[in-house]
Amino acid sequence: MSLVFAIFAPIIVALFIPLLFKKVSKIHTGWFVLLVPVALASFYATYIPSIMNGKIHTDELPWIPSLGISFISYMDGLSLLFSLLITGIGALVVLYSIFYLDKNKEKLGNFYVYLLIFMTAMLGVVQSDHLISLYFFWELTSISSFLLIGYWYTRDRSRFGALKSMMITVFGGLMMLGGFLLLSIIGETFSIRELIGQASALAEHEFFVWALVLVLLGAFTKSAQFPFYIWLPDAMEAPTPVSAYLHSATMVKAGLYLVARFTPIFAVSEVWVWLVTGVGILTLFWGSFFAVKQTDLKAILAFSTVSQLGLIMSLLGIGSIAYHVTGDLVATYTYATFAAIFHLVNHATFKGSLFMIAGIVDHETGTRDIRKLGGLMSLMPISFTIALIGSLSMAGIPPFNGFLSKEMFLEAVLGLQHFDLYAMDSWWILFPIVAWIASVFTFVYSLYFVFHTFRGKHKPEELPKKAHEAPIGMLLSPGILATLVIAIFFVPNFVGNTFIKPAVAAIQPIAYDTPSDVGFTIKAWHGWDSPALWMTLGIFLVGYILYKTIPKWTPLYNSIPVKLSLNGMYDRIMKFADSGANRFSSIYMTGSIRSYLVYMFAAIIVLLASTMWIKDAFVINFDNLAPISFFEIIITIMIVVSTITILVTNSRLTAIIALGAVGYTVALFFILFKAPDLALTQLVIETVSVALFLGAFYHLPKMNKHEKKKEDRRFRLGNFIIALGVGVMVTLIAISSHSQKLIPSISKYYKDTVYSEAGGGNIVNVILVDYRGFDTLFEISVLTIASLGIISMIALRLTKKKGDRKIENK
């Protein structure tokens, strides 16, 4: 199996899922889908030994060769880590969904098609070396996540959450595309590897910072950083398997991947250091602070995810400082990158299990409202155990993997005191303070999630369903993740050597040539003299006090006006855009075809005139003109007389005949100019047009002379200006095109290649079929679409008539 084929394997399998869902309905479709991520995870696992030794694998599939665009799979330590997360967590999510989604009630065909499309999109994002293919997969994640979040499309909140996520992430994607284009202009390549190789030269360009900011907008929107995080809580309306997959291990990590991948390019700029670190720390605090306010289990996890993503983002920012220092300080800051990747893995394990437990609670009790829950520990002991493991790991308590990476985070933040560039020596103290406060709230919401759900008084009267333990199949996936949470704590360096070090070497090529050069080890105990230890003890103490006094201080959240919230701002922007678009369209969408023609002709005049003026293309030269014959003068007079007749006549029949005379006279010109094929085409079109006009105008009411005079007075001046403008512009363009040649004529190429290349004898036919083949194909497509629309309207009209007759008969 090639790397490129592995990327597209899920979407290829997705083509057969609807058939399996319909034809093999007795077996849950998820069992067939499960084979895909399991097979892919096994395939990617075979690359672990070679990647650990520093080897890089590539594979290429041409996409648009004429533009140099290809699907290039680039497999290094960073790509492999994310590919294993996407497929490994994906396999557990599919297994969980088999027991979570009822095959008799849910549209599983749709669900698994969307899921497999998303899997392909994510694999494409983390393996693409070409900027355009990366953008293609990036937007495919937005589209497929929109479909997954809106899976229960009959629910208003599901549709709202899906639209909100797509609006924000697609906006970021477009900004990212702008950054990619600027990078390609600066570096004259779309290859990420080649751009990394010329990073120092890129930094000198005036567009470098603009490209940096635009790329970060894409990363921040996708990874739910402040202030773009608002889409993530609303996305919790998705089915829990979607939340566990997209919002713990994959989609929200795409932005982190982007920052990690582009660190070797942008880290040389202080703007990158400040933006990535600052936005990450702010997001960490903001998400942790507002997580305690939530009452929906998945909303708590959503805000906690925002917080944890901010933590990882800030670590990547601190790690980028390694590009600005030398000596021993390089290891001080690459340690932050090591901590970021380690926590990324840890977060996928404990947050994935917690999302699944939230789904289990909802599935077995009928609600996620934490105010109605409590006392479930004795009724759901296995679920409680898994939730406890995940929550304590999220809180940073040993012996769970979250404790290890949290300690590393605190040490990395404290390391900022050694960096004295870009005013960091004046502001560095704020980062550990904010990080400590955010960690306190992380401790609070972790305990709040697990103990308010499973301990306390049981309230069966407030639950829609009688609470009971979930089936073993549904507990299997979160149980595996919880086991990994504990296992990683005891064998962290196995994970570090196998997965983390190769990824760090890919992010920090300036410091490490191979993964074996990364010399960090993960330890649970750093000694009593470790500042991080005392910060941790303070977190536990203050966090526990705040947790026990939650009812006393949480009313402070109510003092924040909803109108001032970011969600309120988003709603107002969307409402203003919607109403503004309606008002604007009501101005020009009058229903008058004449008005629409005026807009189009006016636009044509402005665009053509401005283009000709800018290009200085208005040239009039009457040299080398052919002599004008007597017959040409007569035919010209006939055209002028017929045109004037159309304008002055009060009879529709006369106007149609005069219009036909213009067309037939033009056909005579073609005959004089020895173009019989064009003349024949003109005659056929004119005959059909005249017949259609006569048939259409026959059914119109008779023209009222007074109304015509009134209409003429109202529109005469506007019509005259538009008609004069179009006529003058077409005339000037025709004369200018004859008078000069800004570019060589393509006619010689047609003459030279019509026989040798196209193999045709009639140059007009060859132009239409070969040289302009796509143009002709699109014209046929337009006619086909129009025909289908007409047939549909006729069919609807016939159906309506039949319905009316049935009603009359009754």
Side-chain angles (χ1 to χ4, degrees), residues 651-805:
S651 169
R652 287 175 178 156
L653 181 60
T654 304
I656 294 171
I657 293 173
L659 181 63
V662 173
Y664 288 124
T665 309
V666 170
L668 293 177
F669 265 120
F670 289 143
I671 294 173
L672 288 178
F673 296 150
K674 298 179 181 180
D677 50 350
L678 295 179
L680 181 61
T681 303
Q682 177 70 19
L683 289 171
V684 171
I685 291 174
E686 204 60 44
T687 302
V688 173
S689 299
V690 170
L692 289 174
F693 275 127
L694 288 172
F697 279 80
Y698 174 79
H699 296 282
L700 292 177
K702 292 183 178 181
M703 186 181 296
N704 188 313
K705 293 182 180 180
H706 298 290
E707 289 182 358
K708 184 177 185 302
K709 288 180 180 180
K710 180 180 177 181
E711 189 178 83
D712 286 343
R713 287 194 298 269
R714 182 179 178 184
F715 294 104
R716 187 179 300 164
L717 180 60
N719 289 348
F720 173 76
I721 294 174
I722 294 296
L724 180 65
V726 172
V728 170
M729 280 305 307
V730 171
T731 302
L732 289 175
I733 290 173
I735 295 174
S736 298
S737 64
H738 177 271
S739 302
Q740 63 176 339
K741 297 294 182 182
L742 292 178
I743 57 175
S745 174
I746 199 174
S747 59
K748 186 177 185 305
Y749 172 77
Y750 288 158
K751 292 176 183 178
D752 295 341
T753 59
V754 64
Y755 288 106
S756 60
E757 299 292 336
N762 187 317
I763 191 170
V764 175
N765 291 345
V766 171
I767 289 173
L768 292 174
V769 176
D770 290 292
Y771 297 117
R772 292 179 56 216
F774 277 113
D775 186 32
T776 305
L777 176 64
F778 292 149
E779 290 176 356
I780 294 171
S781 301
V782 169
L783 291 174
T784 302
I785 293 170
S787 301
L788 291 173
I790 293 170
I791 293 171
S792 300
M793 288 190 290
I794 294 173
L796 287 172
R797 184 176 181 183
L798 293 175
T799 303
K800 186 176 182 301
K801 285 185 176 180
K802 290 181 180 179
D804 293 341
R805 288 173 185 170

